[in-house]
């Protein structure tokens, strides 16, 4: 069961409940594939650094989960098929990353070490 | 030739450049998060290009982690590939 982090950019024209529905859909998909959701962190509408598919804004969503290594392939197929998703990226988290995310969620970096990783 | 006027072959170095250190080893950071753009901006220049190790002072191991994080951030449109006056 490896730790993964999925980041998805949805098209900005997505309405709020569609956004929640999409989050739920992928969270359930991960659970169905034998994984477990660790943390979901919707960023909401953000402006992109460069236009993707002629759009300059996108709705971001960061989803951290644990899953068997075989689950990613099916997840990727679903993500590619979904036209609401502009871009997605699944990254594998090593133990430092998992610990970093955990500390960050519990406000561990709030000006703890000088100017390094501010919260 | 005035006796007291000494000619130096090379210019004398006035101030010693600040000793560079690898901030990851010094502050004990183990993971570079690609979502933390403010932190990544310290390692790219105005055009959005990665700073070389001699300027950023990173050790090889952490420079690669920074490079990987910046490339992921660029992929997810958090950082631009090329721009001007980024800062």
């Amino acid at each position: 069961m490896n730790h993964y982090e999925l980041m998805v950019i949805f098209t900005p024209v997505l309405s709020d409940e569609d956004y929640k529905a999409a989050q739920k859909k992928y969270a359930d998909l991960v659970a169905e594939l034998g994984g477990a959701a660790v943390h979901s962190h919707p960023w909401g509408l953000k402006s992109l650094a460069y236009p993707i598919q002629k759009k300059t804004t996108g709705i971001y969503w960061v989803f951290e989960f644990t899953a068997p290594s075989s689950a990613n392939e099916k997840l990727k197929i679903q993500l590619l098929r979904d036209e609401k998703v502009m871009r997605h990226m699944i990254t594998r988290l090593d133990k430092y990353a998992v610990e970093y995310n955990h500390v960050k969620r519990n406000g561990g970096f709030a000006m703890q070490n000088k100017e390094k990783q501010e919260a | 030739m005035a006796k007291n006027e000494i000619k130096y072959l090379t210019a004398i170095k006035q101030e010693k450049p600040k000793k560079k250190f690898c901030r990851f080893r010094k502050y004990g950071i183990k993971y570079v998060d690609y979502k933390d753009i403010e932190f990544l901006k310290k390692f790219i220049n105005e055009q959005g290009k990665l700073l070389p190790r001699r300027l950023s002072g990173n050790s090889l191991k952490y420079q690669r982690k920074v490079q990987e994080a910046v490339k992921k951030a660029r992929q997810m449109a958090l950082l631009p590939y090329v721009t001007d006056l980024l800062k």
Side-chain angles (χ1 to χ4, degrees):
Chain A
M1 288 291 272
N2 305 326
H3 276 265
Y4 293 102
E5 183 179 79
L6 164 70
M7 182 182 227
V8 178
I9 307 179
F10 292 103
T11 53
V13 294
L14 206 61
S15 68
D16 205 20
E17 67 271 0
D18 281 354
Y19 181 40
K20 290 206 172 23
Q23 285 175 31
K24 231 186 85 48
K25 176 182 136 187
Y26 287 113
D28 297 346
L29 181 62
V30 164
E32 176 201 308
L33 291 171
V38 170
H39 178 71
S40 166
H41 181 202
W43 286 6
L45 198 68
K46 249 169 82 79
S47 64
L48 303 173
Y50 52 87
I52 302 177
Q53 295 173 4
K54 310 290 186 298
K55 301 181 183 66
T56 56
T57 58
I59 303 180
Y60 279 78
W61 175 47
V62 177
F63 181 57
E64 201 184 328
F65 61 96
T66 59
S69 50
S70 62
N72 282 334
E73 199 50 41
K74 301 183 188 62
L75 189 59
K76 190 158 71 84
I77 294 166
Q78 287 300 328
L79 282 161
L80 289 176
R81 182 176 296 148
D82 185 348
E83 85 286 346
K84 289 199 292 292
V85 170
M86 277 202 293
R87 194 168 287 190
H88 70 280
M89 177 164 68
I90 302 176
T91 45
R92 188 177 178 285
L93 298 178
D94 55 10
K95 62 182 188 315
Y96 297 122
V98 172
E99 188 258 338
Y100 167 82
N101 284 340
H102 182 66
V103 166
K104 185 149 183 153
R105 262 201 303 281
N106 308 342
F109 288 116
M111 297 320 284
Q112 173 212 1
N113 42 9
K114 185 146 79 42
E115 40 93 19
K116 269 297 125 285
Q117 303 254 47
E118 59 282 2
Chain B
M1 181 77 112
K3 193 168 299 304
N4 49 24
E5 194 197 315
I6 308 158
K7 282 272 181 298
Y8 288 102
L9 279 178
T10 64
I12 41 171
K13 204 149 48 92
Q14 284 81 15
E15 37 85 28
K16 207 171 131 356
K18 173 162 76 60
K19 180 76 186 64
K20 281 203 165 43
F21 59 90
C22 171
R23 60 177 72 196
F24 293 93
R25 267 206 300 257
K26 193 160 188 298
Y27 295 122
I29 304 163
K30 284 282 193 296
Y31 170 66
V32 184
D33 190 9
Y34 66 91
K35 303 190 290 296
D36 190 355
I37 315 162
E38 291 316 313
F39 184 60
L40 289 183
K41 276 193 176 151
K42 296 188 174 70
F43 301 105
I44 56 179
N45 64 6
E46 281 74 24
Q47 281 91 24
K49 292 155 75 170
L50 265 161
L51 285 178
R53 270 178 63 206
R54 65 171 192 275
L55 294 182
S56 67
N58 292 341
S59 60
L60 178 59
K61 176 181 172 183
Y62 291 104
Q63 176 73 9
R64 285 200 184 123
K65 287 188 197 270
V66 164
Q67 166 197 322
E68 187 198 319
V70 166
K71 286 179 181 174
K72 279 183 189 164
R74 286 177 181 160
Q75 162 79 13
M76 294 310 285
L78 297 170
L79 281 178
Y81 278 94
V82 66
T83 177
D84 40 17
L85 271 327
L86 174 77
K87 293 284 188 310

